[in-house]
Amino acid sequence: MSFARLVLSTSSVEEMPRFSSNTLPPRELGRELVQQCLQEMFSLYPVLTDTAIFGSLDAVYQQTGYITASHRWDVRLSFAIALVSRSRSKEDHLYRDAVRHASSALEDAEAVILPGSIASLQAILLLVLYSMLDPSHFNSWYLIGVASRVMADLGLHQDPTEELRVKESHIVLRRRMFSCVYTLDRAISLAYVRAFSFSDDSVNVAVIPDPATNSSFVSWYNNPAEDLSSTSETSASQLLGLRQIQSNWYQKAFQSSREALTEPWQNRSSALNAMQSWARALPKSTPNPLKHLFLSEMFFSNVLVLSPPQNAGLLCSYGKAVLFDNAVRYSEVTLNILRSRWVGEALLNILADSPTAIYKTLDPPPPPLSAGSVAPPALRRRGFLETIDEAIKTINRIEQILDTLEIRFGYPANYNTFKSKSTITVERLYSKRQNPYSHGMLQADEPAFNHPQNEHMVGGSVPDWYHLSLARSYESL
């Protein structure tokens, strides 16, 4: 069995259909789709440069020069990525056209998916990007695992020594490809809550700083040989910075055999503080769709930090209230099926296990801090009825997200499972709302509602990003 067939057989979910005709769209539309792919996907994961993809586009449409399998692969999968990101249902023509272009690209799989070259790694990464938007046909976690193995075999996780005298342009390419693998591996593993394909300890690349120093990431895009726009440089480096922060705490919480959480709140608070610092440092010029995406990433990460399965019982009341805040904010800025279900279930768990900590008007006291600890994150103050209403709205939003994505991806199990669990919780919430002084939740002299003008943040000042409200849209995915 060839390497290409091995990759496709292990990562396929459903067999790709065959089409009698795989004609190219009009060239103007083709250029529009490529431009969309550059702005929405390659700006974060710069697998291909502007020059490379437009060169492939010209070669495919001109039909006069030297056309390679890589040209066709790059163009067809770029079309597929752009079209599937526009799709709203598996039944619409956009999705069918995306699958048609992806199917056409796979005809060249044997020629482009080969071990031992950066070009092959780029081909696999393009398929990874498509699989993230079409999970019905490909499993992105298996594909990024293959890409990580190819990356490691090429030695991209280690910068070459000075004695080898490697050209600067080649070093930049190596680091760019490593960065794409790193950010995608961390993103996909976090979504599935699974182990990373490789650890940070195995990496010695200039783009990855020492997390202990909290140093900023090297702007390694700024190279005359590269033709990435300034937006791409900034967006990709910002995402890389977040992924490194996520990777550092995720390995401690989920993958380490050491007692990394002997002081669970201190470790969690440090991770939360690092992500808040990252969010505050986002340039004001960052486009709103990217802010939307980045904030969604941060809120999900905060929930994950606060709810690792093996340490869920160690979270203090203040931490559970912080988790509640982040679950609420996450539901306002996201459309992601795996992460939404995780956040929703984490919310249901704390509502069921710790009602007093969440519903009480009086704020839970911040946890005690040991020497060297960072201050806990700010906590939004709500009254009893406000909290009940916020919890119900958040559960309803997550149900709507899962329902919408069930239509888009055809996965009813996530919505049905969450709905069966949330129905009981919502019924209890309405019962508590009707009589806030029952069940010992409130004392007779405690107010059940905080007037909006009296709302404040407990434990710190209001972060700049806290009140950012962006409409949910697929364009932000």
Side-chain angles (χ1 to χ4, degrees):
M1 179 181 288
S2 68
F3 181 66
R5 288 191 178 185
L6 178 63
V7 170
L8 296 178
S9 64
T10 55
S11 62
S12 293
V13 178
E14 293 180 5
E15 185 177 355
M16 291 289 285
R18 298 279 184 173
F19 295 86
S20 58
S21 174
N22 280 321
T23 58
L24 292 166
R27 182 164 182 165
E28 183 177 347
L29 175 57
R31 189 174 184 85
E32 176 187 324
L33 293 174
V34 165
Q35 188 64 45
Q36 177 189 337
C37 199
L38 280 167
Q39 293 175 349
E40 297 181 3
M41 193 64 80
F42 296 158
S43 63
L44 296 172
Y45 307 103
V47 177
L48 297 175
T49 63
D50 299 31
T51 298
I53 185 58
F54 280 118
S56 294
L57 186 71
D58 291 339
V60 167
Y61 274 94
Q62 287 175 357
Q63 296 288 335
T64 56
Y66 179 61
I67 305 174
T68 67
S70 292
H71 289 149
R72 293 189 294 268
W73 179 272
D74 294 348
V75 169
R76 290 289 191 173
L77 277 182
S78 294
F79 287 173
I81 290 168
L83 287 166
V84 76
S85 68
R86 295 181 179 185
S87 172
R88 297 296 181 270
S89 167
K90 291 184 66 177
E91 306 301 323
D92 63 28
H93 74 280
L94 293 168
Y95 180 75
R96 290 193 295 272
D97 282 350
V99 173
R100 179 172 63 83
H101 286 296
S103 178
S104 177
L106 292 180
E107 295 176 5
D108 288 306
E110 294 283 354
V112 298
I113 300 180
L114 301 167
S117 73
I118 290 181
S120 176
L121 177 59
Q122 289 173 303
I124 297 171
L125 288 174
L126 281 178
L127 193 57
V128 171
L129 294 176
Y130 176 75
S131 70
M132 294 168 67
L133 299 171
D134 186 13
S136 296
H137 288 107
F138 292 101
N139 186 304
S140 59
W141 191 68
Y142 283 105
L143 280 172
I144 193 58
V146 172
S148 298
R149 179 59 185 269
V150 172
M151 178 274 297
D153 288 345
L154 291 170
L156 303 186
H157 61 306
Q158 299 281 326
D159 274 343
T161 61
E162 294 183 2
E163 289 77 7
L164 295 177
R165 296 183 180 179
V166 179
K167 291 183 178 179
E168 183 65 24
S169 60
H170 188 62
I171 292 177
V172 170
L173 176 61
R174 287 170 56 93
R175 290 175 176 172
R176 179 158 58 85
M177 288 301 99
F178 167 78
S179 172
C180 289
V181 174
Y182 184 90
T183 52
L184 284 167
D185 179 69
R186 272 44 184 169
I188 293 169
S189 297
L190 283 168
Y192 282 95
V193 195
R194 294 179 179 173
F196 295 147
S197 299
F198 55 96
S199 69
D200 288 351
D201 291 340
S202 67
V203 175
N204 182 23
V205 180
V207 299
I208 302 296
D210 181 358
T213 65
N214 197 27
S215 57
S216 60
F217 279 72
V218 177
S219 182
W220 46 270
Y221 290 105
N222 296 329
N223 185 286
E226 294 298 303
D227 54 356
L228 298 169
S229 68
S230 59
T231 300
S232 297
E233 296 169 14
T234 303
S235 301
S237 60
Q238 288 166 350
L239 183 60
L240 180 60
L242 177 62
R243 293 284 181 253
Q244 195 266 347
I245 295 170
Q246 292 172 324
S247 183
N248 184 39
W249 63 255
Y250 187 82
Q251 288 177 106
K252 290 180 180 178
F254 287 80
Q255 296 181 226
S256 177
S257 60
R258 298 170 296 178
E259 296 182 4
L261 293 178
T262 52
E263 293 185 76
W265 179 254
Q266 179 179 344
N267 286 275
R268 288 167 176 167
S269 187
S270 296
L272 295 174
N273 183 70
M275 284 184 284
Q276 285 193 14
S277 298
W278 171 87
R280 289 192 180 98
L282 289 174
K284 293 183 179 180
S285 60
T286 303
N288 274 351
L290 283 179
K291 284 183 181 178
H292 185 167
L293 176 63
F294 287 154
L295 292 178
S296 172
E297 286 277 350
M298 186 190 68
F299 292 132
F300 168 75
S301 298
N302 289 346
V303 172
L304 199 57
V305 166
L306 295 165
S307 59
Q310 67 272 40
N311 297 105
L314 299 178
L315 192 60
C316 63
S317 296
Y318 194 90
K320 291 172 183 176
V322 174
L323 193 157
F324 180 86
D325 269 359
N326 280 276
V328 170
R329 300 301 293 165
Y330 175 84
S331 72
E332 296 173 342
V333 294
T334 194
L335 274 174
N336 184 289
I337 194 165
L338 292 174
R339 299 181 180 198
S340 295
R341 180 176 170 183
W342 176 276
V343 171
E345 292 186 350
L347 175 63
L348 295 182
N349 288 338
I350 62 169
L351 291 176
D353 297 341
S354 306
T356 303
I358 305 302
Y359 301 140
K360 290 282 285 186
T361 303
L362 297 178
D363 308 301
L369 300 178
S370 59
S373 298
V374 297
L379 182 63
R380 185 175 182 180
R381 183 175 184 176
R382 298 179 180 90
F384 179 84
L385 294 181
E386 291 170 293
T387 303
I388 294 285
D389 291 344
E390 198 75 83
I392 293 173
K393 286 191 295 184
T394 300
I395 292 172
N396 288 338
R397 279 194 295 262
I398 292 175
E399 288 179 356
Q400 291 169 5
I401 292 168
L402 294 176
D403 186 40
T404 300
L405 294 176
E406 184 276 320
I407 296 173
R408 168 61 184 81
F409 294 114
Y411 286 156
N414 287 281
Y415 171 77
N416 293 337
T417 301
F418 183 76
K419 181 66 175 178
S420 65
K421 295 179 179 179
S422 64
T423 299
I424 298 173
T425 301
V426 171
E427 289 176 354
R428 291 174 178 170
L429 290 172
Y430 277 118
S431 175
K432 290 179 172 64
R433 197 186 194 290
Q434 290 175 357
N435 190 356
Y437 295 95
S438 66
H439 314 293
M441 299 302 299
L442 289 179
Q443 302 300 319
D445 58 345
E446 288 185 274
F449 189 82
N450 274 342
H451 192 277
Q453 69 181 16
N454 294 326
E455 284 189 357
H456 66 281
M457 302 290 287
V458 179
S461 59
V462 180
D464 294 337
W465 46 263
Y466 192 88
H467 295 295
L468 179 63
S469 178
L470 299 171
R472 291 195 298 272
S473 66
Y474 282 100
E475 286 73 24
S476 298
L477 294 178

